[in-house]
């Protein structure tokens, strides 16, 4: 059971705004499990990690004034 995460735990893990994981799950964009109560959502950590790709952030000093990378 330790591999099942709540939506808030997924949000924290990826530094997403609160509620994003559940929103993505309800849209069908993020794999999830619905518990027997019919409304509680849990996420399998391995499935989420397999889908979410970590992309290194562009250093702030390489961003131009119009928002593009140099």
């Amino acid at each position: 059971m330790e591999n099942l995460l709540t939506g808030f735990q997924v949000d924290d893990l990826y530094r997403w705004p609160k509620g994003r994981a559940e929103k993505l799950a309800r849209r069908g964009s993020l794999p999830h499990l619905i518990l027997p109560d019919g409304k509680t959502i849990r996420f399998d950590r391995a499935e989420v990690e397999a889908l979410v790709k970590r992309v290194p952030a562009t250093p702030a000093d390489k961003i131009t004034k119009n928002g593009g990378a140099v």
Side-chain angles (χ1 to χ4, degrees), residues 20-37:
R20 177 170 287 170
E22 287 199 14
K23 217 179 267 187
L24 290 170
R26 292 185 197 289
R27 276 196 231 153
S29 301
L30 197 60
H32 61 285
L33 304 166
I34 298 176
L35 299 184
D37 67 4

Side-chain angles (χ1 to χ4, degrees), residues 1-66:
M1 280 299 242
E2 68 189 44
N3 289 330
L4 293 181
L5 304 173
T6 67
F8 289 131
Q9 288 171 318
V10 173
D11 293 338
D12 286 343
L13 183 64
Y14 293 104
R15 295 187 181 132
W16 291 344
K18 296 293 180 210
R20 177 170 287 170
E22 287 199 14
K23 217 179 267 187
L24 290 170
R26 292 185 197 289
R27 276 196 231 153
S29 301
L30 197 60
H32 61 285
L33 304 166
I34 298 176
L35 299 184
D37 67 4
K39 56 186 175 183
T40 303
I41 295 175
R42 291 292 181 268
F43 300 87
D44 181 293
R45 185 180 190 127
E47 286 185 18
V48 173
E49 287 177 349
L51 284 177
V52 178
K53 184 190 256 185
R54 293 181 192 247
V55 178
T58 303
D61 60 338
K62 293 192 177 188
I63 297 177
T64 64
K65 288 183 181 179
N66 65 2

